[in-house]
Amino acid sequence: SAVISQKPSRDICQRGTSLTIQCQVDSQVTMMFWYRQQPGQSLTLIATANQGSEATYESGFVIDKFPISRPNLTFSTLTVSNMSPEDSSIYLCSVEDGWSPNEQFFGPGTRLTVL
Amino acid sequence: KQEVTQIPAALSVPEGENLVLNCSFTDSAIYNLQWFRQDPGKGLTSLLLIQSSQREQTSGRLNASLDKSSGRSTLYIAASQPGDSATYLCAPTYSGAGSYQLTFGKGTKLSVIP
């Protein structure tokens, strides 16, 4: 399976600032996804990161708040903009591995705390 | 909207016991179903993937079953060990906007007592 890394692993940020999270995969993958896990909750899909085009956002998530880049088949970034304490969550990226179609593998996550 | 329910929400067992975790989903039109484990503050580890055409999938001490028509899946863990302590998440996959999307339950938090 693909090996996925995320940076930073955790961060503490001030209200009103922005944080960019990086996701790096050790092989080329077609599909990359970004999820949010709020405290005590399960995972919610934010968006699908498309290479060469705009991300596809799920209901309740907008590009101005969560801009996503996907410059190539091994890398993506998620920015959390104008943060508030409600944005405190674990943010995870995942990929579909071409060796096992439609099976998703997850990165280690980024734990964000907004003060 | 698809809903995924996992029962029980938490489970504590002595080491060595066999146990069953339950998952139910409201929309049976799934493409496949994945079981994950999540350790505290960490990412997800994929345990098993069951295709919609399959009834069972096994990996070591883990066995997952799928009854698509009734909207249920179970994860059986044999001879539990303290290292199995984690939260177990069930996620059926549905066809979405140009991709296949996972819908997650809230998980079952398992504690295996030495």
Side-chain angles (χ1 to χ4, degrees):
Chain A
S1 61
V3 177
I4 307 161
S5 60
Q6 286 187 232
K7 289 182 181 180
S9 59
R10 58 175 60 221
D11 208 340
I12 301 173
C13 300
Q14 295 297 319
R15 180 195 300 260
T17 62
S18 298
L19 176 71
T20 296
I21 302 168
Q22 299 179 6
C23 178
Q24 179 75 54
V25 191
D26 69 342
S27 59
Q28 293 186 341
V29 294
T30 303
M31 305 302 296
M32 293 183 76
F33 306 90
W34 287 99
Y35 289 83
R36 179 176 74 181
Q37 186 177 30
Q38 294 177 301
Q41 302 298 311
S42 195
L43 282 77
T44 302
L45 179 64
I46 297 172
T48 302
N50 303 308
Q51 196 268 331
S53 64
E54 275 195 2
T56 304
Y57 289 84
E58 296 302 305
S59 176
F61 297 96
V62 295
I63 188 171
D64 289 347
K65 176 68 176 176
F66 297 102
I68 288 171
S69 77
R70 177 88 192 271
N72 56 51
L73 293 176
T74 65
F75 186 78
S76 178
T77 67
L78 169 75
T79 299
V80 186
S81 302
N82 188 25
M83 290 184 285
S84 67
E86 291 71 35
D87 294 319
S88 297
S89 298
I90 299 175
Y91 292 86
L92 301 106
C93 72
S94 75
V95 305
E96 277 190 14
D97 190 323
W99 293 105
S100 181
N102 308 121
E103 182 172 8
Q104 287 194 26
F105 298 92
F106 283 76
T110 296
R111 181 181 287 272
L112 170 62
T113 301
V114 184
L115 303 177
Chain B
K1 180 184 175 184
Q2 175 69 230
E3 290 187 4
V4 180
T5 304
Q6 291 189 245
I7 295 173
L11 181 63
S12 183
V13 300
E15 181 177 3
E17 271 203 9
N18 303 324
L19 56 101
V20 176
L21 308 181
N22 296 292
C23 171
S24 62
F25 42 94
T26 53
D27 185 349
S28 62
I30 64 171
Y31 188 78
N32 60 35
L33 186 143
Q34 278 187 260
W35 281 92
F36 296 89
R37 69 173 277 169
Q38 184 176 29
D39 294 283
K42 305 293 186 182
L44 276 65
T45 300
S46 179
L47 298 173
L48 287 164
L49 169 72
I50 312 178
Q51 301 291 349
S52 62
S53 58
Q54 295 179 311
R55 300 281 293 182
E56 278 191 16
Q57 191 67 253
T58 298
S59 177
R61 294 182 294 109
L62 305 179
N63 175 276
S65 68
L66 175 65
D67 185 342
K68 182 180 168 182
S69 61
S70 67
R72 296 177 187 273
S73 178
T74 62
L75 179 66
Y76 175 83
I77 302 177
S80 58
Q81 303 171 357
D84 294 330
S85 298
T87 297
Y88 289 79
L89 297 168
C90 162
T93 303
Y94 296 89
S95 178
S99 68
Y100 292 95
Q101 299 178 0
L102 299 176
T103 300
F104 283 87
K106 290 189 175 181
T108 294
K109 185 174 182 180
L110 173 64
S111 298
V112 181
I113 312 301

